[in-house]
Amino acid sequence: MGIVKLCIFSIIFIFLLKFHYISAEFFKRDVIELEKGPEDVAWVVQLSDLHFSVHHPERALSFEKIVGPSLSMINPSLVFITGDLTDGKSKDLLIMKQDEEEWLEYKKVLTNVIKKSGLKKNVFYDLRGNHDIFGVPAIGGPFDFYSKYSINAQLKRSGLVNSVTIQTGERSIQFVGFDSITSLGLRGPTNLFGHPTDQLLDEISSELSVLDSQPTKPITNIAYGHFPLSFSAASQSGRTLKETFLMHNLSAYLCGHLHTKFGKNLKRHHESNQHKHLLQLNGHGSLPNNSKTCSDEATEFKEFWEWEMGDWRKSRAMRILSIDRGWMSFVDVDFKLGAKNVIILPTFPLDSRFTLERSFHKCKMESLNLNSIRALVFSSSPVVSVVARIYDSRPGNLVTVLETPMRRNDDSTSRGNLYTCPWNFNAFEDPSPDRFLLQIEAVDIEGRSTLTELRPFSVGGLRARLSWNWKEFMVMGCQWDALYYPILWLFYLLTLPILVFPKAIFVFLRKQYTYKSLVGNRKLVTCVAWILSELYNLPLVCFSIIVYLFYLILCPWLSGQVFTEGEERGYMTYRGWVLRFNERQKLDFHGFPDIMVVVLPHLYIVVLPTIIVIGALVAERAVFQDHLRALSAKKEDDYLVKNNVSAPTSGRNKTLTLLHRRWLRKMLLLISLAICWKHFLNCRSLVKAYAMNPFIHFPVYSLSVPILLAYTIYKTSRAE
């Protein structure tokens, strides 16, 4: 018996020790217990891209004036500020480095906002954006003002990953925030991407899984950061944030960075079956299949939403995100016209544009309460009425099919006002996810009416289509870190073979192409061969173009000052910036793929048009030479008869006039001027951004294109 008792005691001791360890790991993290009503409902606020600037004081003034009282009215459990806290730019937007005065202003304004909001300071979380790291050589160094003035720094949150959990009594809602800024804060513009390391991904994974050992409550995982996934590079081992999020059944990723100028539909649905895709043509991805039954025993579909929000910089945007019984809804509030007296956030039924398939899994629907329409109403003055309306859009115009008053949940200690009304949700089942539209109206005691937007919903969990315009697709639908090299080498595939191989073919075949060859055989191949033949007649130009193209992939483009202060310079190649050798005496490249904002515009907007214009100039000269020869030999009539051309007409006279006065050449000269002007603007921005002299620090990059164009224009000016 003694041995049995000892074994039982040992098992109990080990269990208690393990429980104590798990509890210690959990409770050392920030935890917010929601004790007041409404039950199992939480809401948080997200702000992003404040860009406080010494050159634009109105941004900080409006933030302090509007955000403090608005937060007091909303009373969120948490406030997240997802990067670009300061601007870090000169007045002309060309010099990008840290300015301590902007950080002092940020600290002062946030202190006042917290005081006006009535919220505790520890519910605020802020993190870095790329603007907050411009020109910072080391995290924690003298120019890392974030580590000195941010709220996270003041509260000693020194890690790159910070998590906080809201306990509602029914579930755990975990928020994991992270800084994926680059370890070396280069000056802009080559500081545009997030750079999660393998270590950071491991930390994020660890935080997202910390609640897995406590299965007593449902868990909702939400991550927040600055960079969208389309502007987040893969780690050194090739791992990505998307893979990490899918592994841990994330529900949503909140981010900033892009601003509203690119569009208001900067949302993207991510799925486990498309993690290798480089392009996504729309926001909704593949539409859900709700035909599964509980007997399918299929693994749960892994998915999450990425919701980029607008900026405070110009759009004065704020997001309120609610988690109502595990279901997420949000509203983006526009403060450009000033503070709002009433803000309404419908929490059920869900907006069908932003639903998750697993939220409507048939095996889990029975336990959910679907019998009421629900909405949070935040108001600075008493609300006298709230009405829910449902419209049917099938007839072609909106027909009201339900209009019912909503009642406030009676709770004198409530954290916020939740309004509900009963409805027969089965009456709105439909195969179309956007047939029925929900709108809620609130009227306050002063008679002011506030309406929500018309939100499509589907009680069956069908997801509506979310289309992008071309700008939204470019910034959200393209995985730019993976696309950089394919786009780069496509340029060389379009240029080098066309410039080099035909010369060898012409020599081997001993064949010459002239303008008369083109007249006799009007095909694209003949046209290209003729233009290249004319280009080869200017061997110095052709050779210089080829040498310049090889220079751009073999040699440094420029040498610039990449940090806020100091004399240390780095040099930039198409692979990134090189600042120093690593411990193995090998080159370390930084700022990849950020340097694509310099490399690709130069190749596709400057170099490629230059090659095309040079080809057009030599072709125009050849046509003009042929025209002069025809006139001087007085064989125009024979030429017309031979080519079955009718007698002189007004059309032919116009053609001769164009040839004689060389109007095409004049147009090409204007295009050449436009190319040089664009190139000058690029060089000017680089000169200011990295404190360079174009004749010393990047002469080949800055001078080659203008010299090539000028020389070609000179050589083609006369028909020899």
Side-chain angles (χ1 to χ4, degrees), residues 356-420:
L356 291 172
E357 181 176 346
R358 66 172 182 262
S359 298
F360 288 85
H361 196 282
K362 294 183 182 295
C363 305
K364 302 178 181 179
M365 292 291 285
E366 295 178 1
S367 62
L368 298 177
N369 182 9
L370 309 178
N371 295 319
S372 62
I373 299 173
R374 299 159 66 90
L376 289 165
V377 180
F378 311 103
S379 177
S380 58
S381 56
V383 173
V384 296
S385 72
V386 178
V387 177
R389 298 185 182 92
I390 294 179
Y391 299 92
D392 186 352
S393 63
R394 175 170 288 182
N397 53 358
L398 298 182
V399 176
T400 304
V401 293
L402 177 67
E403 182 170 354
T404 180
M406 304 181 73
R407 295 183 59 185
R408 178 178 176 270
N409 281 17
D410 293 328
D411 189 346
S412 58
T413 62
S414 175
R415 293 172 286 112
N417 296 328
L418 177 67
Y419 285 78
T420 63

Side-chain angles (χ1 to χ4, degrees), residues 1-24:
M1 285 295 293
I3 296 176
V4 173
K5 289 181 179 179
L6 180 62
C7 291
I8 293 173
F9 176 79
S10 300
I11 292 171
I12 294 173
F13 177 77
I14 292 172
F15 174 78
L16 291 174
L17 185 64
K18 183 178 180 181
F19 176 79
H20 172 77
Y21 173 77
I22 293 172
S23 299

Side-chain angles (χ1 to χ4, degrees), residues 662-699:
R662 306 190 73 176
W663 285 108
L664 178 59
R665 175 180 173 81
K666 293 174 182 178
M667 291 176 58
L668 292 173
L669 293 181
L670 288 176
I671 296 173
S672 300
L673 186 62
I675 293 172
C676 289
W677 177 249
K678 175 60 179 175
H679 184 55
F680 167 76
L681 293 178
N682 292 345
C683 292
R684 176 175 172 267
S685 64
L686 291 173
V687 164
K688 300 204 73 174
Y690 301 111
M692 297 185 296
N693 184 316
F695 300 103
I696 298 175
H697 298 116
F698 60 126

Side-chain angles (χ1 to χ4, degrees), residues 63-74 113 116-117 339:
F63 189 88
E64 182 176 346
K65 179 181 178 182
I66 295 173
V67 173
S70 297
L71 290 177
S72 177
M73 180 179 78
I74 298 167
V113 165
K116 291 180 180 179
S117 71

Side-chain angles (χ1 to χ4, degrees), residues 161-331:
V161 179
N162 290 284
S163 66
V164 57
T165 302
I166 295 177
Q167 298 283 1
T168 68
E170 300 293 329
R171 73 187 63 252
S172 298
I173 307 168
Q174 182 174 223
F175 295 88
V176 177
F178 58 90
D179 276 346
S180 58
I181 42 87
T182 178
S183 58
L184 284 177
L186 305 175
R187 289 190 187 187
T190 55
N191 186 343
L192 187 64
F193 281 72
H195 294 266
T197 61
D198 287 308
Q199 180 182 354
L200 179 69
L201 294 176
D202 288 339
E203 289 185 43
I204 295 171
S205 182
S206 176
E207 290 293 333
L208 288 173
S209 61
V210 73
L211 297 179
D212 293 347
S213 58
Q214 301 183 21
T216 56
K217 290 182 179 180
I219 301 168
T220 300
N221 281 324
I222 299 173
Y224 65 95
H226 178 66
F227 299 94
L229 299 188
S230 55
F231 282 84
S232 294
S235 69
Q236 189 172 4
S237 65
R239 296 163 59 194
T240 64
L241 283 168
K242 179 176 179 177
E243 294 168 354
T244 303
F245 292 160
L246 288 171
M247 188 189 312
H248 295 283
N249 282 331
L250 193 79
S251 294
Y253 172 53
L254 313 177
C255 59
H257 188 54
L258 294 179
H259 299 202
T260 310
K261 67 181 180 181
F262 290 107
K264 294 187 177 182
N265 277 336
L266 301 179
K267 287 90 178 172
R268 180 176 177 181
H269 183 259
H270 295 272
E271 305 163 11
S272 55
N273 61 356
Q274 54 161 227
H275 64 280
K276 295 297 183 183
H277 289 188
L278 301 182
L279 299 174
Q280 184 170 313
L281 300 179
N282 51 59
H284 56 263
S286 62
L287 296 177
N289 174 20
N290 284 19
S291 61
K292 295 179 181 178
T293 64
C294 295
S295 60
D296 288 340
E297 297 183 359
T299 57
E300 189 174 76
F301 184 61
K302 293 185 177 181
E303 56 175 339
F304 69 92
W305 272 102
E306 177 185 5
W307 290 329
E308 201 274 353
M309 73 159 294
D311 57 289
W312 184 266
R313 178 178 178 262
K314 286 188 176 180
S315 302
R316 303 293 191 265
M318 171 193 286
R319 171 172 293 160
I320 308 172
L321 172 74
S322 71
I323 304 92
D324 182 357
R325 301 166 297 172
W327 287 342
M328 299 178 301
S329 299
F330 68 90
V331 61

Side-chain angles (χ1 to χ4, degrees), residues 23-242:
S23 299
E25 283 295 306
F26 176 67
F27 287 111
K28 74 179 182 180
R29 292 169 169 81
D30 293 337
V31 178
I32 296 176
E33 298 277 356
L34 298 184
E35 299 176 353
K36 301 177 181 179
E39 183 181 357
D40 201 12
V41 181
W43 57 93
V44 301
V45 161
Q46 181 193 3
L47 294 150
S48 193
D49 295 84
L50 314 185
H51 290 271
F52 287 178
S53 170
V54 294
H55 308 293
H56 297 277
E58 72 280 359
R59 297 173 189 169
L61 290 173
S62 63
F63 189 88
E64 182 176 346
K65 179 181 178 182
I66 295 173
V67 173
S70 297
L71 290 177
S72 177
M73 180 179 78
I74 298 167
N75 189 29
S77 298
L78 293 166
V79 179
F80 302 117
I81 309 176
T82 52
D84 282 357
L85 314 177
T86 63
D87 200 39
K89 283 188 175 184
S90 59
K91 192 172 184 178
D92 60 5
L93 307 180
L94 297 179
I95 301 175
M96 306 178 203
K97 59 182 182 179
Q98 298 304 296
D99 188 330
E100 189 169 10
E101 188 177 341
E102 294 177 348
W103 284 99
L104 288 168
E105 182 179 44
Y106 173 77
K107 181 181 179 181
K108 182 191 75 172
V109 169
L110 264 293
T111 300
N112 294 336
V113 165
I114 294 171
K115 187 181 298 183
K116 291 180 180 179
S117 71
L119 302 174
K120 295 180 180 179
K121 189 174 185 177
N122 65 350
V123 306
F124 286 78
Y125 287 76
D126 55 4
L127 49 79
R128 295 179 182 89
N130 55 313
H131 283 249
D132 306 316
I133 203 74
F134 279 159
V136 177
I139 302 298
F143 294 103
D144 181 17
F145 299 124
Y146 171 89
S147 297
K148 185 177 180 181
Y149 297 112
S150 68
I151 294 174
N152 277 6
Q154 295 172 51
L155 296 177
K156 308 301 181 185
R157 300 171 185 149
S158 56
L160 293 179
V161 179
N162 290 284
S163 66
V164 57
T165 302
I166 295 177
Q167 298 283 1
T168 68
E170 300 293 329
R171 73 187 63 252
S172 298
I173 307 168
Q174 182 174 223
F175 295 88
V176 177
F178 58 90
D179 276 346
S180 58
I181 42 87
T182 178
S183 58
L184 284 177
L186 305 175
R187 289 190 187 187
T190 55
N191 186 343
L192 187 64
F193 281 72
H195 294 266
T197 61
D198 287 308
Q199 180 182 354
L200 179 69
L201 294 176
D202 288 339
E203 289 185 43
I204 295 171
S205 182
S206 176
E207 290 293 333
L208 288 173
S209 61
V210 73
L211 297 179
D212 293 347
S213 58
Q214 301 183 21
T216 56
K217 290 182 179 180
I219 301 168
T220 300
N221 281 324
I222 299 173
Y224 65 95
H226 178 66
F227 299 94
L229 299 188
S230 55
F231 282 84
S232 294
S235 69
Q236 189 172 4
S237 65
R239 296 163 59 194
T240 64
L241 283 168
K242 179 176 179 177

